[in-house]
Amino acid sequence: MRLVLGHFHSLFFYAILCTAALVNHTIDDELGDEVTGLKPRYLPDGDTWSKGSSCSQCTITRIVDTAQVFDSTWHDTTYFVGTSPGVAIEASFNGTAVYVFNIIANILPNASVTFTNLTFYIDDRYVGAFSHTPHSGPPDLLYHVPVYTNSSLTDDEHTIRILADGSQNSLVLFDYIIYT
């Protein structure tokens, strides 16, 4: 009887483990991680980054439809060639997957830079890149664009670094991260 009960308990706990669901969590550009409260870190420190909706000198602010932006907030900056060491966003999370979403611009009147070029690192290892060459015509802006996805991480704490640098000026309109 003891052997049967022991086997039953093993099956019971195995069934519980198999029914556990993966849960997505969001790291908003402004409000931070909905679980931990940690906010993304914008580098370099100082006035390189702007809160998109309140940036009076940002051309793009006037055309962004905040109803299409997650929590109506985004952060923006422009990387200019020669800026060392570039501009970056860092965020920590605990999970097995991560998805980064940006607003992407096409050719806009009065905007000096709309090309986007991003490089991604997880735990200090290069894991991918994204670039968008703007084109004329609608839509002016693309919302909720997955600029990086990775669903094969170990179940552990990770730090993602999103970097704009290189040989071309690059517009960065960061909106949010989802992790599982």
Side-chain angles (χ1 to χ4, degrees):
M1 181 69 165
R2 182 177 294 212
L3 180 61
V4 171
L5 281 177
H7 184 68
F8 173 76
H9 284 198
S10 295
L11 287 175
F12 176 75
F13 288 115
Y14 179 75
I16 289 173
L17 289 173
C18 289
T19 59
L22 296 174
V23 178
N24 288 337
H25 299 289
T26 305
I27 303 172
D28 180 61
D29 73 292
E30 181 65 26
L31 302 174
D33 189 320
E34 66 185 10
V35 174
T36 66
L38 294 174
K39 294 184 178 186
R41 187 167 171 223
Y42 298 95
L43 303 167
D45 294 329
D47 61 357
T48 304
W49 287 88
S50 298
K51 294 179 185 178
S53 59
S54 62
C55 180
S56 60
Q57 76 272 14
C58 300
T59 304
I60 204 121
T61 302
R62 295 183 285 280
I63 64 167
V64 170
D65 179 357
T66 57
Q68 293 197 54
V69 180
F70 187 81
D71 276 339
S72 300
T73 64
W74 74 95
H75 269 71
D76 73 45
T77 192
T78 302
Y79 162 75
F80 292 100
V81 173
T83 306
S84 183
V87 295
I89 305 156
E90 288 183 351
S92 295
F93 63 95
N94 196 326
T96 59
V98 64
Y99 312 89
V100 179
F101 296 87
N102 280 27
I103 303 167
I104 299 297
N106 281 312
I107 296 173
L108 303 171
N110 303 320
S112 61
V113 177
T114 55
F115 175 76
T116 299
N117 185 45
L118 303 170
T119 307
F120 300 89
Y121 296 84
I122 294 181
D123 303 329
D124 295 322
R125 288 184 328 131
Y126 171 83
V127 292
F130 172 89
S131 76
H132 173 76
T133 302
H135 59 81
S136 59
D140 291 339
L141 297 173
L142 305 166
Y143 299 92
H144 306 284
V145 176
V147 295
Y148 179 74
T149 64
N150 186 332
S151 59
S152 62
L153 299 173
T154 58
D155 189 7
D156 206 349
E157 185 167 328
H158 301 283
T159 299
I160 187 165
R161 182 178 176 95
I162 305 157
L163 179 65
D165 68 355
S167 61
Q168 282 190 271
N169 297 341
S170 181
L171 176 65
V172 182
L173 303 171
F174 171 64
D175 195 3
Y176 61 101
I177 296 171
I178 293 177
Y179 66 93
T180 303

